[in-house]
Amino acid sequence: MMLDGKRFLVIGATQGIGRALAGLAAAAGADVIVASRSAERVARTMGELTGAGNVTGHVIDLTDAASIAAGMKAAGKLDFLAIPGSAVTFGSFRDLDVADAMASMASKFWGPYRAVKAAEMAAGGSVALFSGTASRKPIGAAALTAINSAVEGLGRALALELAPVRVNVICPGLVDTEMWERLPGGQRLEMVDQARRRLPARYVATAADIAEFALAVMQNRYLTGAVLDIDGGGLVS
Ligand SMILES: NC(=O)c1ccc[n+]([C@@H]2O[C@H](COP(=O)([O-])OP(=O)(O)OC[C@H]3O[C@@H](n4cnc5c(N)ncnc54)[C@H](OP(=O)(O)O)[C@@H]3O)[C@@H](O)[C@H]2O)c1
């Protein structure tokens, strides 16, 4: 098993990309710790993944400094830290309240910032942050573009400041995850169908597609300081 006995924490592991990544890491032999802000959802995910391997769990709320400090301490020394967790409010610059933009920044930027700062990484450890192609291809949500750009900058800087721990940023385009359940009616299906027709890959990724990529990135010993786009060609179209 490639990851036998490696300690692998995923913050934001109860659905979507994080859940898929936790499952793959467990299946590869890692000691996986699943975390999110919900004790109930962490317990449910642990139950679902237990068959895949050694899976434990903690509550870590990325918007709560005390929760991050306690959770990272409980997680102990880590070989791998992935942080796909975030809750972001979409909205145009004109429509989105500043308070909502700041809450999104707190969740997707400051939460990971604090978590990496509190992490005890093993020598040769590997961190993966998650941004999104809105960083470089704005989609009418200025706060999201700013947040994703900030995450990408943080990843590049930490690759130097935390070396030899490796730090990379996974930058997905549209991924058909539970995140889009927030869309009313058939809008999720419509959005995915439209993207499938528009994207050069003529395909929209699942959580598993991104998780497989993230796991390979995290394990590659020559990869650090990179922002890795996985977007079906969205950025060039
Ligand atoms: N899906 C896409 O189209 C897409 C595109 C570009 C970038 N991304 C980025 O890729 C990452 C993963 O996306 P996804 O689609 O898998 O997201 P998702 O389905 O919405 O899952 C988000 C995860 O984060 C957890 N979470 C939310 N707020 C949290 C908090 N305060 N503390 C800890 N955990 C928290 C949620 O768990 P609980 O509710 O149990 O806390 C959930 O497990 C995100 O950063 C997202 O912005 C996604």
Side-chain angles (χ1 to χ4, degrees):
M1 302 272 257
M2 281 183 310
L3 296 179
D4 223 359
K6 299 289 185 191
R7 290 182 62 77
F8 199 125
L9 171 61
V10 184
I11 308 178
T14 57
Q15 67 177 48
I17 296 165
R19 190 183 179 288
L21 181 57
L24 286 179
D31 292 341
V32 174
I33 307 155
V34 294
S36 89
R37 63 200 153 162
S38 157
E40 191 188 326
R41 283 160 59 77
V42 166
R44 195 192 66 200
T45 306
M46 277 169 60
E48 289 167 357
L49 296 183
T50 293
N54 183 19
V55 182
T56 55
H58 288 301
V59 170
I60 299 178
D61 183 345
L62 289 165
T63 63
D64 178 340
S67 167
I68 294 171
M72 297 309 294
K73 191 165 179 217
K77 198 177 224 179
L78 299 169
D79 299 289
F80 294 92
L81 169 61
I83 316 181
S86 71
V88 169
T89 308
F90 290 80
S92 69
F93 181 71
R94 286 185 201 288
D95 293 338
L96 188 69
D97 283 345
V98 172
D100 288 333
M102 290 175 74
S104 298
M105 190 78 170
S107 176
K108 192 167 177 175
F109 177 79
W110 288 113
Y113 185 104
R114 282 184 193 279
V116 176
K117 198 168 166 69
E120 186 192 350
M121 296 302 298
S126 175
V127 175
L129 305 176
F130 288 73
S131 62
T133 50
S135 58
R136 277 157 291 140
K137 188 164 185 174
I139 51 171
L144 185 63
T145 286
I147 293 164
N148 285 332
S149 300
V151 171
E152 292 175 7
L154 178 65
R156 279 191 289 263
L158 291 183
L160 278 182
E161 293 193 37
L162 298 184
V165 170
R166 292 179 297 101
V167 183
N168 291 290
V169 181
I170 309 295
C171 179
L174 179 65
V175 189
D176 190 13
T177 69
E178 296 94 319
M179 184 170 95
W180 298 109
E181 278 168 4
R182 69 178 82 173
L183 293 177
Q187 279 185 34
R188 174 181 177 180
L189 204 59
E190 200 179 311
M191 178 185 71
V192 170
D193 272 352
Q194 275 181 14
R196 194 177 290 123
R197 275 183 257 119
R198 188 186 68 238
L199 288 170
R202 303 287 188 266
Y203 176 72
V204 171
T206 63
D209 293 316
I210 309 301
E212 275 171 29
F213 181 67
L215 191 58
V217 165
M218 293 183 80
Q219 288 181 91
N220 193 304
R221 295 182 60 187
Y222 203 45
L223 200 45
T224 192
V227 175
L228 298 130
D229 301 325
I230 173 162
D231 67 344
L235 279 173
V236 296
S237 64

